[in-house]
Amino acid sequence: MSDGAETSEPPSTYIVGVPWPDFNDGLIYNDVVPLSHPGLTLTEYYSTKHKNSAPMQGWLQRIGNSQITVDGIVVTDPNTILRAGMELVYHRRPWKEPDAPFLLQVLFEDDDMIALNKPSGLQVLPGGLFQQRTVLTQLQWYSSKQNPLLKHKKLHAVPVHRLGRGTSGVLLCAKTKLAKSHLAAYFADGTSVVAGNRHINMELNDKRKISKIYRALTEGIINKDEVVITQPIGTIRYPGVAKGLYVASPSGKPALTKVEVLERNVRENHTLVKVEIQSGRPHQIRIHLSFIGHPLLGDPLYITGGRPKCFDSDFVNDGFALDGGYQKPVKPVPGDCGYHLHACQLVLPHPITNEVIEINAPIPSILQTQDEAKELCLSFGDNTDKGQN
């Protein structure tokens, strides 16, 4: 964002959220047998087309439990021969999802968008074991209770970008399809600018429409006051991650991260940093900081070099869980928490009015500088004294 732009302050914040039910609603997966797959048995079809969901023994269990219908009829014979055009439905039974926070602080809201302070431990979109306990679910529940007079706006509440499950801070969501298209374009804009410039540098910031600022706590002492990281990010095959794990890779896509040291704690051997990203590659900050030898403190996955801590093909678990699916990976995966990363600020033009909006999320105490912590303490003390007078 350019300097000197006028900004508007967000309204007072408030908390929303509904406690999670003990069990989710289960899931329904629909398939139509394609022309290229006639003659396969029911087991062969599911264990090949959906091999990332369960091993063959798991699919045999699901079929035997009457969880699959063929053209509307429950089929329990795994050797049933399929014909092209048959409609298959797999009914995944309800399950108890892992614990996750449900309260969300609303940082900004109007008729077109809403900015949330996402807590660490809450997944943004459905995936894996988390199909209901997500930001998206809470957002949809909250939107369903909104003023019915806004129905003419064609409400379409949905996050327009992602934060890792262990990352906290500002998460921007659209409330209408028009706002979604504009906001999504803002986030894609920075990444496309980086991708289009092989000799990337932070001067490209002037060309983007959105500014994203983070706080992070890293292992070790970063000696330089500022570091610009331009290491490309790509994917590798990794057990437990169906679409591949994002890592530092010379053959990957361009990415740009600027790191500014805020404080060095020599005694504890860690560094507090401010991070600004131009591109938006998955897990970019975690990968880039680990690439330069300073992984996020507590990161269970990434180590120096921007690679995974564990990468052994022998830890793949071919057993299956109670629902027939694969067991939870025993080694680290991207959704595991433990690191300290907070999206503290977003500055962007409003998707409809084009007015510049600055949205800030309160900084967790562990990511505050000593001066910030002291100032907060003094402010709290002043407010306490006033309340006693």
Side-chain angles (χ1 to χ4, degrees):
M1 305 295 298
S2 60
D3 293 336
E6 294 184 2
T7 61
S8 64
E9 291 296 324
S12 299
T13 64
Y14 45 96
I15 303 295
V16 300
V18 177
W20 305 115
D22 287 340
F23 289 83
N24 61 27
D25 299 325
L27 289 172
I28 294 177
Y29 299 88
N30 296 284
D31 279 295
V32 176
V33 179
L35 292 172
S36 58
H37 284 70
L40 291 181
T41 66
L42 191 59
T43 307
E44 289 171 339
Y45 179 85
Y46 274 103
S47 61
T48 54
K49 189 170 188 294
H50 297 288
K51 60 183 178 182
N52 289 326
S53 172
M56 179 174 286
Q57 289 301 315
W59 282 114
L60 286 170
Q61 173 181 298
R62 291 169 173 178
I63 295 169
N65 287 342
S66 303
Q67 291 177 251
I68 295 176
T69 62
V70 178
D71 288 338
I73 300 173
V74 174
V75 174
T76 57
D77 180 2
N79 296 315
T80 299
I81 303 297
L82 301 179
R83 299 188 305 275
M86 280 184 163
E87 296 182 357
L88 310 179
V89 181
Y90 159 54
H91 300 260
R92 185 175 179 181
R93 292 174 172 174
W95 72 94
K96 184 177 178 62
E97 299 184 12
D99 291 339
F102 66 89
L103 293 177
L104 294 164
Q105 181 184 22
V106 177
L107 302 170
F108 177 94
E109 182 178 16
D110 63 13
D111 290 352
D112 302 292
M113 67 179 191
I114 179 171
L116 305 171
N117 185 8
K118 186 190 88 69
S120 175
L122 181 60
Q123 192 159 295
V124 174
L125 298 176
L129 293 175
F130 295 95
Q131 294 294 327
Q132 183 181 69
R133 298 185 179 189
T134 66
V135 172
L136 179 61
T137 300
Q138 289 290 347
L139 187 61
Q140 291 174 338
W141 289 347
Y142 172 68
S143 297
S144 68
K145 298 177 182 178
Q146 293 300 287
N147 190 334
L149 295 178
L150 296 179
K151 286 184 178 179
H152 70 281
K153 299 281 286 187
K154 297 183 179 180
L155 293 183
H156 188 72
V158 61
V160 294
H161 64 118
R162 297 195 192 192
L163 295 177
R165 190 165 77 89
T167 305
S168 59
V170 183
L171 180 72
L172 199 58
C173 308
K175 295 175 71 174
T176 69
K177 289 185 177 180
L178 180 59
K180 177 188 175 185
S181 65
H182 288 178
L183 292 172
Y186 294 169
F187 281 92
D189 177 64
T191 300
S192 63
V193 167
V194 171
N197 289 267
R198 305 308 300 182
H199 302 290
I200 52 181
N201 57 67
M202 291 310 292
E203 292 179 1
L204 295 176
N205 288 356
D206 295 336
K207 298 182 179 180
R208 63 182 174 163
K209 291 187 176 180
I210 190 165
S211 171
K212 298 176 280 188
I213 307 294
Y214 294 74
R215 287 281 181 99
L217 196 61
T218 76
E219 294 181 6
I221 302 301
I222 300 177
N223 294 319
K224 292 183 178 180
D225 291 338
E226 289 191 359
V227 182
V228 175
I229 309 167
T230 59
Q231 172 65 25
I233 293 175
T235 58
I236 58 172
R237 292 185 62 185
Y238 185 83
V241 184
K243 296 182 179 180
L245 178 70
Y246 286 90
V247 298
S249 170
S251 60
K253 295 181 179 179
L256 176 60
T257 302
K258 178 183 177 182
V259 181
E260 178 184 335
V261 171
L262 298 177
E263 272 186 358
R264 298 178 178 89
N265 188 327
V266 178
R267 184 170 61 87
E268 299 290 340
N269 194 35
H270 58 240
T271 305
L272 178 63
V273 296
K274 170 185 172 182
V275 184
E276 185 174 4
I277 59 173
Q278 170 82 44
S279 50
R281 306 300 178 196
H283 316 299
Q284 176 174 322
I285 295 175
R286 297 170 67 187
I287 293 169
H288 269 181
L289 284 168
S290 63
F291 175 75
I292 65 170
H294 297 281
L296 296 189
L297 188 67
D299 193 329
L301 178 60
Y302 292 105
I303 58 173
T304 295
R307 310 290 288 183
K309 187 175 297 185
C310 303
F311 188 50
D312 303 311
S313 58
D314 59 358
F315 72 68
V316 179
N317 188 345
D318 288 328
F320 54 94
L322 292 177
D323 72 339
Y326 288 107
Q327 298 279 8
K328 183 181 183 300
V330 296
K331 296 295 184 180
V333 292
D336 291 342
C337 304
Y339 55 90
H340 302 285
L341 179 61
H342 180 70
C344 56
Q345 184 184 85
L346 270 181
V347 183
L348 73 159
H350 190 280
I352 306 301
T353 68
N354 214 38
E355 175 187 14
V356 176
I357 305 291
E358 179 178 319
I359 303 168
N360 294 283
I363 299 173
S365 59
I366 196 169
L367 295 176
Q368 294 173 0
T369 64
Q370 292 184 38
D371 288 343
E372 287 170 340
K374 289 177 183 176
E375 185 179 341
L376 192 63
C377 255
L378 290 173
S379 174
F380 179 76
D382 288 344
N383 290 335
T384 303
D385 291 341
K386 290 177 182 178
Q388 292 175 344
N389 292 334

